[in-house]
Amino acid sequence: MIIINKQYLLGLIFIVLLGIGLIAPFTFLPVQVKNKAPVIVVEEPKKVPKVVKVIEQPLHDVVLPDFASIRDVKEKKKQFFAFIKPAILAENESILTLRNEVERLIAQLTLEQPFTEQEHSFVADLSKQYRVSKKFSLLRQLYELQLKVDVIPSALILVQAANESAWGTSRFARIGLNFFGVWCYKKGCGMVPSGRNVGAKHEVAAYSSVKQGVARYLKNINTNSAYMVFRTIRGQLREQGQPLSPEILATGLIPYSERGTDYVLELTEMIRHNRRYLALNVD
């Protein structure tokens, strides 16, 4: 049997407690962790897609003067009018030939002379082209044709072409030979305007020749119901034996542009300002 001395036991307990007291404070100290170096993430630069500018190819084989490169204003006007005027004169001449035939048939019908089968066919075909109702009597068809089958002064056509095409530099003039901003409504009939409203289906017509473009412009003015006032003014000038004044006729083109009266005023100002280049003659 082991007998433990009481004093020895108390001394042992004292030593143990003393050791605990010395060690304990250090057990609650925070553990210091060495700072790690920051991780730097290097982002790869975003690849910006290259924008490839597509050059729109002409929808025709006509070699156009580079009007945009002509810096001299007078020279540009001369070249522009000289380029487009032959087509205008040729188309007006064709219309005059048809008009003379219509007037001959009116005189023939007034004298109660019978029509040949060929003459009846001529009236029917022309009425279809110029949107004259076949339900009208023959004489009324002829009078309607007399009102519609008529020329437009070359001066007025020229300044409209200059105005609408920015003197031949517009996209529609260069790509589609459309110098008059004429619209079409069949998909693929021309060029889609860049600023066309959502849901709109119209295009700006494209032509294979300058002559075709001028012919479509004239047919539009001579048949579209929007220009009935224009045709009425022209008919009154004819009845009064007055020349077809381009300034007077321009007043009938208010519906041609959203600018309305301002557009007409601009056209008349262009006519006055460019008389020396237009070589105004009575058409």
Side-chain angles (χ1 to χ4, degrees):
M1 179 174 181
I2 301 172
I3 299 174
I4 301 174
N5 188 290
K6 185 177 181 181
Q7 289 183 349
Y8 173 80
L9 181 61
L10 289 173
L12 183 62
I13 293 171
F14 176 78
I15 293 171
V16 171
L17 291 175
L18 182 62
I20 293 172
L22 291 172
I23 297 171
F26 296 97
T27 60
F28 297 99
L29 290 174
V31 178
Q32 292 185 356
V33 180
K34 293 182 179 180
N35 292 332
K36 294 182 179 180
V39 179
I40 300 175
V41 179
V42 179
E43 294 185 359
E44 294 185 3
K46 294 181 180 180
K47 295 182 179 180
V48 180
K50 293 182 179 180
V51 179
V52 180
K53 187 176 181 180
V54 179
I55 300 176
E56 195 172 13
Q57 297 300 316
L59 301 175
H60 56 84
D61 298 324
V62 178
V63 179
L64 283 171
D66 186 4
F67 294 115
S69 67
I70 304 174
R71 300 303 178 187
D72 184 86
V73 176
K74 293 180 180 180
E75 185 60 28
K76 178 181 289 189
K77 290 180 177 182
K78 288 179 182 178
Q79 289 198 31
F80 178 80
F81 290 145
F83 175 76
I84 198 170
K85 190 170 184 179
I88 295 172
L89 296 179
E91 192 58 29
N92 267 339
E93 188 64 31
S94 296
I95 291 174
L96 273 179
T97 299
L98 293 174
R99 179 179 176 80
N100 289 337
E101 182 63 13
V102 169
E103 291 182 332
R104 185 189 70 80
L105 291 175
I106 290 174
Q108 181 175 320
L109 189 60
T110 303
L111 295 174
E112 299 183 351
Q113 296 178 358
F115 279 27
T116 64
E117 184 177 338
Q118 185 178 5
E119 289 169 339
H120 276 293
S121 180
F122 171 81
V123 175
D125 290 343
L126 202 60
S127 293
K128 184 176 181 180
Q129 290 180 40
Y130 281 82
R131 303 178 188 176
V132 174
S133 177
K134 62 181 180 180
K135 295 181 181 180
F136 292 159
S137 67
L138 183 58
L139 184 59
R140 184 175 176 184
Q141 285 185 60
L142 287 169
Y143 277 130
E144 288 290 326
L145 287 172
Q146 187 182 38
L147 194 64
K148 291 185 171 184
V149 184
D150 205 348
V151 300
I152 298 175
S154 60
L156 180 54
I157 302 176
L158 286 168
V159 296
Q160 266 202 284
N163 188 288
E164 294 290 335
S165 71
W167 296 95
T169 63
S170 72
R171 169 199 171 202
F172 303 128
R174 292 181 293 100
I175 304 301
L177 296 178
N178 190 334
F179 293 87
F180 303 96
V182 177
W183 288 5
C184 57
Y185 297 90
K186 187 176 180 180
K187 187 175 181 179
C189 62
M191 300 155 284
V192 177
S194 57
R196 188 174 68 176
N197 294 332
V198 177
K201 297 182 179 179
H202 70 276
E203 297 182 12
V204 177
Y207 307 115
S208 59
S209 66
V210 178
K211 185 178 185 300
Q212 184 186 36
V214 171
R216 294 291 176 84
Y217 158 82
L218 280 160
K219 185 63 68 66
N220 182 40
I221 299 298
N222 283 335
T223 61
N224 196 316
S225 59
Y227 308 113
M228 182 174 63
V229 171
F230 176 94
R231 297 190 292 270
T232 300
I233 295 171
R234 184 176 59 186
Q236 290 174 347
L237 290 174
R238 289 293 196 191
E239 288 179 5
Q240 297 168 8
Q242 299 294 321
L244 299 183
S245 166
E247 290 96 336
I248 294 175
L249 287 172
T251 61
L253 293 177
I254 289 178
Y256 202 95
S257 170
E258 293 179 350
R259 296 169 55 211
T261 303
D262 288 340
Y263 178 73
V264 169
L265 291 174
E266 187 171 326
L267 291 181
T268 53
E269 181 61 27
M270 288 179 71
I271 292 171
R272 287 192 291 269
H273 204 262
N274 292 283
R275 285 185 185 278
R276 58 186 296 190
Y277 304 105
L278 296 169
L280 297 181
N281 294 315
V282 177
D283 293 286

